[in-house]
């Protein structure tokens, strides 16, 4: 499990390098030895991380030539909130977008994930809880949790919507509204989601993600009375 976690963490690091423009679309990754040394990991872990991102369409492996960032990844995939105002309005757009596709991806993960992937998701959910209860930032753990669910859905196109999830999570943390209540809701909703994932209840997982996103929007006061997202 530790090895699997490290592979996923490395995949997340590589993905962030792509999202931040450190690795450009179409660019070849450094050779294995160089990159593994830079990231302080083994070559085996690096290969596993590359295969994770290749399955998501982020990286492309060309036998005999090397590994490249997909040319389909564009600079516009990365969100720069410093250029977007007001932030709350943009965050509402992102959360609404997540509400449209993420519940369905959770349902697909229930049906398609391997037992090892389910175990990995559950361990990441536990890491979110541990960070929250210890008073530490849960941002990175929360991002990894949702990313693992999306990866387990095995839908290459939808996996490219990861930047929307990362941006929404980051901006939610920056707004810092009703943090205690938001943390409480997150722990409750994640526990419910993990319960459904564990027994592969696709409909339950779909509803748990839907509930989580709606309660996040309510907690951050990012809904309008009478709009399509307000079911109160």
């Amino acid at each position: 499990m530790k090895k699997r976690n490290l592979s996923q963490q490395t995949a997340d690091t590589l993905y962030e390098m792509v999202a931040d423009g450190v690795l450009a679309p179409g660019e070849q990754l450094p050779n294995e030895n160089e990159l593994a040394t830079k990231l302080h990991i083994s070559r085996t872990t690096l290969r596993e991380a590359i295969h994770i991102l290749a399955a998501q369409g982020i990286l492309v492996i060309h036998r005999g030539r090397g590994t490249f960032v997909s040319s389909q990844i564009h600079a516009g995939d990365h969100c720069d909130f410093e250029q977007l105002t007001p932030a709350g309005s943009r965050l509402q757009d992102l959360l609404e977008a997540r509400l449209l596709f993420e519940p369905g991806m959770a349902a697909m993960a229930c049906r398609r994930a391997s037992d090892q992937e389910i175990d990995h998701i559950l361990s990441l959910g536990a890491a979110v809880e541990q960070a929250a209860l210890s008073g530490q930032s849960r941002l990175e753990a929360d991002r990894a949790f949702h990313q693992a669910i999306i990866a387990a859905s095995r839908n290459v196109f939808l996996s490219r919507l990861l930047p929307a999830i990362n941006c929404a999570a980051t901006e939610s943390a920056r707004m810092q509204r009703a943090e205690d209540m938001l943390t409480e809701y997150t722990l409750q909703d994640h526990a419910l989601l993990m319960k459904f994932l564990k027994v592969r209840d696709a409909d339950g997982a779909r509803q748990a993600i839907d509930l989580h996103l709606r309660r996040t929007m309510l907690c951050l006061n990012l809904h309008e009375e009478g709009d399509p997202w307000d079911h109160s």
Side-chain angles (χ1 to χ4, degrees), residues 58 88 91 98 114 118 166 215:
I58 306 298
L91 177 57
R98 287 181 61 183
S114 67
I118 292 293
N166 292 339
R215 293 218 292 183

Side-chain angles (χ1 to χ4, degrees), residues 165-222:
I165 292 178
N166 292 339
C167 289
T170 300
E171 188 64 12
S172 295
R174 283 174 53 183
M175 292 181 71
Q176 295 182 338
R177 295 180 186 169
E179 178 61 28
D180 291 343
M181 183 176 294
L182 184 56
T183 297
E184 180 180 353
Y185 283 162
T186 295
L187 295 181
Q188 292 175 0
D189 299 343
H190 280 196
L192 183 63
L193 174 58
M194 289 189 289
K195 175 182 177 181
F196 289 129
L197 285 168
K198 191 172 183 178
V199 298
R200 297 183 181 274
D201 183 335
D203 289 336
R206 186 195 307 272
Q207 293 173 27
I209 284 282
D210 186 274
L211 171 66
H212 175 55
L213 293 171
R214 291 183 188 279
R215 293 218 292 183
T216 296
M217 295 179 71
L218 286 169
C219 193
L220 295 175
N221 197 27
L222 293 175

Side-chain angles (χ1 to χ4, degrees), residues 146-158:
H146 286 277
Q147 287 175 2
I149 293 173
I150 289 178
S153 74
R154 303 191 190 285
N155 185 296
V156 174
F157 174 78
L158 290 175

Side-chain angles (χ1 to χ4, degrees), residues 1-5 8 109 112-124 148-149 152 154 197-198 200:
M1 183 59 64
K2 287 184 178 179
K3 186 175 182 180
R4 170 63 178 167
N5 286 343
Q8 185 62 57
R112 300 176 178 178
S114 67
D115 291 342
Q116 291 77 14
E117 286 174 315
I118 292 293
D119 288 342
H120 177 57
I121 292 169
L122 297 179
S123 72
L124 292 174
I149 293 173
R154 303 191 190 285
L197 285 168
K198 191 172 183 178
R200 297 183 181 274

Side-chain angles (χ1 to χ4, degrees), residues 25-38:
E27 181 178 349
Q28 183 175 7
L29 269 62
N31 67 63
E32 270 190 6
N33 289 334
E34 179 183 344
L35 190 53
T37 299
K38 180 179 180 180

Side-chain angles (χ1 to χ4, degrees), residues 20-202:
D20 292 339
V22 177
L23 294 171
E27 181 178 349
Q28 183 175 7
L29 269 62
N31 67 63
E32 270 190 6
N33 289 334
E34 179 183 344
L35 190 53
T37 299
K38 180 179 180 180
L39 298 177
H40 305 289
I41 56 172
S42 69
R43 292 169 60 190
T44 299
T45 298
L46 176 60
R47 288 179 192 138
E48 291 174 351
I50 287 174
H51 281 292
I52 290 172
L53 293 181
Q56 297 176 18
I58 306 298
L59 299 179
V60 179
I61 301 172
H62 293 292
R63 301 297 177 188
R65 292 179 52 202
T67 301
F68 297 77
V69 178
S70 171
S71 59
Q72 301 303 312
I73 302 296
H74 301 292
D77 290 339
H78 181 59
C79 296
D80 184 357
F81 277 98
E82 299 303 324
Q83 300 176 7
L84 300 173
T85 56
S89 176
R90 182 59 178 176
L91 177 57
Q92 181 171 346
D93 290 345
L94 287 168
L95 288 171
E96 287 174 354
R98 287 181 61 183
L99 193 54
L100 288 172
F101 68 79
E102 202 170 346
M105 297 183 79
M108 285 191 287
C110 280
R111 294 191 293 266
R112 300 176 178 178
S114 67
D115 291 342
Q116 291 77 14
E117 286 174 315
I118 292 293
D119 288 342
H120 177 57
I121 292 169
L122 297 179
S123 72
L124 292 174
V128 174
E129 181 178 17
Q130 182 178 1
L133 295 179
S134 63
Q136 300 175 346
S137 171
R138 57 180 172 81
L139 177 59
E140 291 303 321
D142 190 71
R143 285 173 56 174
F145 176 69
H146 286 277
Q147 287 175 2
I149 293 173
I150 289 178
S153 74
R154 303 191 190 285
N155 185 296
V156 174
F157 174 78
L158 290 175
S159 71
R160 294 176 183 172
L161 298 174
L162 276 173
I165 292 178
N166 292 339
C167 289
T170 300
E171 188 64 12
S172 295
R174 283 174 53 183
M175 292 181 71
Q176 295 182 338
R177 295 180 186 169
E179 178 61 28
D180 291 343
M181 183 176 294
L182 184 56
T183 297
E184 180 180 353
Y185 283 162
T186 295
L187 295 181
Q188 292 175 0
D189 299 343
H190 280 196
L192 183 63
L193 174 58
M194 289 189 289
K195 175 182 177 181
F196 289 129
L197 285 168
K198 191 172 183 178
V199 298
R200 297 183 181 274
D201 183 335

